[in-house]
Amino acid sequence: MQRGIIGLSLLAVITALPLIGSAQERPGRRVDTERTDTRAERRQDRRQDAREDRQERRQDAREDAREDRQERRQDAREDAREDRQDRRQDAREEAREDRQERREEAREDRQERRQDAREDAREDRQDRRQDARQDARAQRIRTRQSARAQRPVVNGHAVRTERGATTVTIRGDRFDDSTEVYIGDRKIDGARVSGRTISFAAPAGATGVITVRHGGEALVVGRYAGTVAQRQARSSAERRTEAQTRWRERRAQLAAEEAERQAALEAREAALAQNRAERRRARLATIREQYEQRFLAQTAVQDEMALHAARVARIERMQRLVDVKYEDELAVRIEVLSEREDQRHEARMADLRAAFQGS
């Protein structure tokens, strides 16, 4: 800038030299020359001021731009630093949350494993208890069955009078020479014993409960009152006629095709297997309503109940099978057998009931 000022000054001197000479030659023109010089100086000053102002503005602009770049760089560095700090903070937060979630999942997993272990242990204990109860029950059943298999079984008895003599016939199973018969406390001598029947002539004046004794155990047969109580039994022809009628009615309700009857049998068998426990509870409830507990607690009564239930189950199974095959003669015989078993059971329970009430 100083070089420019010096150059301008020299230019002004060089320009003014002719004017000075002319002024010396022409004194009248001195005032005009001075005025011209003054105006030129003012213009020069204005140009100089404008130039300096432009230079200052450029300098200020450069300074402002430099400061703005510096501020932007500083802001960018600050933003980058804050962004890095935020990312680090977010990463630390995410890592901490992830560790917390893993710890929580591990804790829940441990709790679930402990709960599963407790459930498994409880179920295992329950299973062992259930197995122990079932084993004990099966052992009791086997013990009872073994005892029943060894002692005599009484199915019923009949009293018959001919020509003034009364004969008592006891039906059952597993009778032998060591089996003894009593009416009340009176032992019957001369009884004819076979494997399935015992027959003897009733002594005059004997009354009381008929019992069969074997190995120190007494089985109740029924009450003997000294008089003949004839049971009115229907003839075989009447039984067969009614059985045929029932079979025809049931056959009319069966499917025409054997395959359909077989499918119905399988469905029936599946349903019976599924609700066996429910049917047993219902049957026991009916029995308990019909008889008192002390009567049902007797061994002879329990034996009769078990025998009747087993026979009825076999008969019903035979009826379901014959429904599939359409074998008329066999179906009628099964119907007769079912009726006879029901009458036998009713008579046997009546004898046991009479003996229980008279004891």
Side-chain angles (χ1 to χ4, degrees):
M1 187 173 67
Q2 291 179 354
R3 291 178 180 179
I5 294 173
I6 294 173
L8 292 175
S9 299
L10 290 175
L11 180 62
V13 171
I14 294 170
T15 305
L17 286 176
L19 294 176
I20 295 174
S22 299
Q24 292 178 355
E25 295 175 359
R26 297 176 184 180
R29 298 183 60 181
R30 180 178 297 176
V31 176
D32 293 335
T33 300
E34 292 177 352
R35 291 177 181 173
T36 301
D37 292 339
T38 302
R39 284 194 298 271
E41 290 176 356
R42 285 199 297 270
R43 283 195 299 271
Q44 186 66 28
D45 291 339
R46 286 195 297 271
R47 291 191 192 98
Q48 183 68 26
D49 293 338
R51 188 165 48 250
E52 292 177 355
D53 185 61
R54 286 194 299 273
Q55 290 176 351
E56 289 179 356
R57 287 199 299 272
R58 292 191 191 101
Q59 184 66 23
D60 292 340
R62 285 193 293 271
E63 291 292 334
D64 292 340
R66 184 171 56 253
E67 291 177 357
D68 185 62
R69 287 194 300 274
Q70 290 176 351
E71 289 178 356
R72 286 199 298 272
R73 292 191 192 102
Q74 184 66 23
D75 292 340
R77 285 193 294 270
E78 291 291 335
D79 292 340
R81 182 170 57 254
E82 291 178 357
D83 186 61
R84 288 193 300 272
Q85 291 176 350
D86 290 340
R87 287 198 298 272
R88 293 192 192 103
Q89 183 67 20
D90 292 340
R92 286 193 293 270
E93 291 291 335
E94 290 177 358
R96 183 167 56 251
E97 291 177 358
D98 186 61
R99 289 193 300 271
Q100 184 67 23
E101 290 178 358
R102 287 198 300 271
R103 293 192 195 101
E104 185 67 24
E105 291 176 356
R107 183 167 55 251
E108 292 178 356
D109 186 61
R110 288 193 300 272
Q111 291 176 350
E112 289 178 358
R113 287 199 301 270
R114 293 192 191 107
Q115 182 67 20
D116 292 340
R118 286 193 292 270
E119 291 291 336
D120 292 339
R122 182 167 56 251
E123 292 177 358
D124 186 60
R125 289 193 299 270
Q126 291 176 350
D127 291 340
R128 287 199 300 270
R129 293 192 190 109
Q130 183 68 19
D131 292 341
R133 286 193 293 267
Q134 291 179 352
D135 291 342
R137 181 181 178 185
Q139 183 61 35
R140 290 194 299 269
I141 292 174
R142 285 193 296 269
T143 302
R144 288 197 297 267
Q145 290 176 346
S146 177
R148 288 172 180 169
Q150 296 175 3
R151 69 170 182 259
V153 176
V154 176
N155 295 337
H157 76 287
V159 180
R160 188 175 186 181
T161 301
E162 290 183 356
R163 300 177 182 178
T166 301
T167 302
V168 179
T169 301
I170 301 173
R171 297 182 302 276
D173 196 7
R174 292 190 291 276
F175 300 139
D176 56 29
D177 294 338
S178 62
T179 304
E180 299 177 342
V181 181
Y182 284 79
I183 297 179
D185 295 333
R186 184 173 178 177
K187 181 180 178 181
I188 305 300
D189 297 325
R192 295 183 298 277
V193 180
S194 65
R196 295 181 178 274
T197 61
I198 301 175
S199 299
F200 62 90
T207 59
V209 177
I210 304 174
T211 58
V212 173
R213 299 184 183 184
H214 180 84
E217 183 177 3
L219 299 178
V220 176
V221 177
R223 186 168 183 80
Y224 178 73
T227 59
V228 178
Q230 294 285 349
R231 294 190 178 93
Q232 297 297 328
R234 293 180 301 167
S235 65
S236 299
E238 292 174 346
R239 292 177 186 272
R240 184 175 180 82
T241 300
E242 292 185 3
Q244 290 173 344
T245 301
R246 289 194 298 270
W247 165 241
R248 284 194 297 270
E249 292 175 353
R250 192 168 74 251
R251 180 172 177 172
Q253 299 174 357
L254 299 176
E257 298 295 332
E258 182 175 349
E260 296 181 7
R261 296 196 300 273
Q262 181 65 36
L265 172 64
E266 293 175 356
R268 176 62 175 166
E269 293 288 342
L272 290 174
Q274 184 176 4
N275 61 13
R276 180 178 290 107
E278 182 179 353
R279 289 184 293 109
R280 183 175 183 275
R281 287 193 297 269
R283 185 171 63 252
L284 290 176
T286 302
I287 292 172
R288 291 190 181 102
E289 290 178 359
Q290 188 176 1
Y291 303 103
E292 58 182 296
Q293 186 62 35
R294 289 192 306 114
F295 175 67
L296 294 175
Q298 295 187 59
T299 303
V301 176
Q302 294 177 0
D303 290 343
E304 172 57 27
M305 290 289 186
L307 176 64
H308 179 62
R311 288 184 173 182
V312 169
R314 287 196 297 270
I315 292 173
E316 290 179 350
R317 172 66 176 167
M318 288 188 294
Q319 286 177 333
R320 291 193 295 271
L321 292 175
V322 80
D323 288 346
V324 176
K325 298 302 181 181
Y326 267 10
E327 297 182 8
D328 295 341
E329 179 62 27
L330 182 57
V332 172
R333 292 174 60 185
I334 293 173
E335 289 286 344
V336 173
L337 180 61
S338 176
E339 182 181 356
R340 285 180 176 174
E341 172 56 27
D342 290 340
Q343 290 181 351
R344 184 208 65 79
H345 176 64
E346 291 175 1
R348 176 64 176 155
M349 292 299 291
D351 290 339
L352 293 174
R353 185 74 173 173
F356 172 74
Q357 292 175 347
S359 60

